[in-house]
Amino acid sequence: QAVAVIRPLGTAYYHGSALPRTMDALANQQLRTLNEFQSNAANHAYKFSAEELAARHQGILNDLAQRKMAKAGKEKKRDLQEDIGIDEAALQAKGIHKLLEGYKRFRDHDLGELEDKMRVLANEGQEPCAMVLSCCDSRADPALVFDAAPGDIFVMRNLMNTCPEYKAPDQNHHGTCAAIEYAVTALKVPLLMVMGHAQCASAARALAICAKSDALPADARFMDRWCFMAKDAVCTVIKKYDPQARGRELELENVRLSVARLMRYPWIRSAVDAGTLEVRGSFFTIFDGKLLLLAKDGSFYNADDGMDGLEPVRANLLSHPLK
């Protein structure tokens, strides 16, 4: 019952098409809902102090205020701040405060449990069991998904968990390639995994820009240039799927593409052939916290079903044959 009452605060007002015209009106609506919640809670086991209810109320208002401010034009920003009564300096400080609060919890609680392991890692170096190439998306954290402790996994994150096509080293900067090379040749990880995820905004961006043209404009932004590397995957899903299905299918197809590209790196291919390295693909569904694993035939299986039949990728993948 507590969840049933709180849920409208988190969804209806955030994602609904209509918002109250003023923040005062919204505050009145929220207060009425919170009073109703308090009344319901008093008759059940859910009891919250006045301070806790006030904190919930203020947190909701602050989040809504930030959303409203983000949509407003720069020319209206000052008037909007006066209208909703939010201090811009306080908003800017919110990020660093949250980080420092987390650091304090780490020092007060987590560090005590990890202190011995951190000292071993500091003295003996790292020996991770895997490298994970994942997206930058804050909702799909490999350390969280795999319940990894410090030193367990070596992580490289970029937009859309993308592995660039292999090219010989040149004068340009190649952060993803350098991280992969370090993991395989220096750390000698036994597993290299690509982890895609659902609701990937970068995949949606890639679908939008790659479907428009075969080439990028000369003034294309960093983000668009990076997303354009998924053009092969975009072409595949456009040919095979209806528009309604292309978003999800591109998220999956880009995992296949990145795995296939990894196998074209000479030092990865040689390690795989020698049996010292496995290359795998996976896909994390944010909404239900499930992990899918990529099989040799290019299909995905629920990791909860175990590893039966899920051999490491050594041969061709559906749409991206190895060269």
Side-chain angles (χ1 to χ4, degrees):
Q1 295 179 7
V3 173
V5 176
I6 286 296
R7 187 177 299 279
L9 300 178
T11 56
Y13 292 142
Y14 283 179
H15 303 296
S17 58
L19 288 174
R21 292 185 178 180
T22 68
M23 297 304 294
D24 287 341
L26 174 60
N28 289 334
Q29 287 187 8
Q30 298 283 15
L31 284 171
R32 285 196 296 271
T33 306
L34 285 168
N35 288 336
E36 178 184 353
F37 173 68
Q38 189 176 31
S39 176
N40 290 339
N43 297 323
H44 300 86
Y46 311 106
K47 295 185 179 180
F48 295 87
S49 68
E51 291 78 8
E52 288 172 319
L53 287 170
R56 287 168 179 264
H57 174 239
Q58 189 58 49
I60 293 167
L61 288 183
N62 286 344
D63 287 343
L64 286 165
Q66 291 182 70
R67 288 173 180 267
K68 187 177 179 183
M69 186 177 294
K71 292 181 180 180
K74 291 183 179 180
E75 70 282 359
K76 297 182 179 180
K77 189 173 181 180
R78 181 173 301 176
D79 293 340
L80 181 60
Q81 287 174 328
E82 294 176 357
D83 175 41
I84 62 180
I86 296 294
D87 182 7
E88 183 177 15
L91 288 177
Q92 292 175 344
K94 184 176 181 180
I96 186 62
H97 286 165
K98 187 173 183 63
L99 290 182
L100 291 179
E101 287 171 358
Y103 168 69
K104 186 176 185 303
R105 290 193 298 271
F106 167 72
R107 294 287 298 178
D108 292 345
H109 304 289
D110 299 337
L111 185 58
E113 300 177 2
L114 294 171
E115 189 170 5
D116 291 340
K117 181 167 186 175
M118 298 293 277
R119 287 176 178 171
V120 171
L121 290 171
N123 293 329
E124 301 181 7
Q126 59 177 324
E127 192 175 352
C129 67
M131 175 183 178
V132 179
L133 174 60
S134 65
C135 184
C136 298
D137 195 299
S138 60
R139 302 166 296 175
D141 183 358
L144 180 65
V145 173
F146 299 112
D147 191 26
D152 286 352
I153 57 175
F154 185 81
V155 179
M156 176 65 195
R157 304 181 72 170
N158 62 36
L159 292 182
M160 207 167 47
N161 42 270
T162 296
C163 176
E165 191 72 63
Y166 176 78
K167 294 181 180 179
D170 54 27
Q171 298 301 315
N172 296 318
H173 301 293
H174 303 283
T176 298
C177 302
I180 295 170
E181 183 178 30
Y182 179 71
V184 174
T185 63
L187 296 177
K188 300 189 181 303
V189 295
L191 171 64
L192 183 53
M193 176 176 282
V194 178
M195 190 185 86
H197 71 93
Q199 286 85 49
C200 182
S202 299
R205 181 63 180 169
L207 185 61
I209 62 175
C210 294
K212 289 181 180 179
S213 173
D214 291 333
L216 284 169
D219 60 348
R221 298 178 295 173
F222 289 123
M223 178 178 68
D224 288 351
R225 291 182 183 278
W226 185 266
C227 291
F228 200 75
M229 285 194 292
K231 185 168 180 62
D232 288 350
V234 172
C235 291
T236 297
V237 299
I238 287 177
K239 290 177 183 177
K240 294 176 63 175
Y241 301 102
D242 293 333
Q244 296 82 356
R246 288 173 184 169
R248 170 52 54 82
E249 293 300 332
L250 177 57
E251 294 166 350
L252 297 170
E253 188 68 18
N254 192 57
V255 173
R256 300 185 186 104
L257 175 61
S258 288
V259 169
R261 284 178 173 172
L262 284 170
M263 293 294 291
R264 296 171 188 148
Y265 284 63
W267 25 270
I268 291 179
R269 188 61 182 265
S270 61
V272 170
D273 290 342
T276 59
L277 177 67
E278 293 184 11
V279 178
R280 294 186 180 273
S282 62
F283 186 81
F284 179 63
T285 53
I286 296 172
F287 50 87
D288 60 3
K290 290 188 178 296
L291 187 75
L292 307 179
L293 295 175
L294 176 64
K296 231 171 74 169
D297 64 0
S299 58
F300 284 85
Y301 292 89
N302 192 331
D304 294 339
D305 295 337
M307 295 293 294
D308 293 342
L310 295 181
E311 299 179 16
V313 175
R314 298 180 186 275
N316 292 1
L317 284 175
L318 289 178
S319 310
H320 311 289
L322 305 178
K323 297 179 181 178

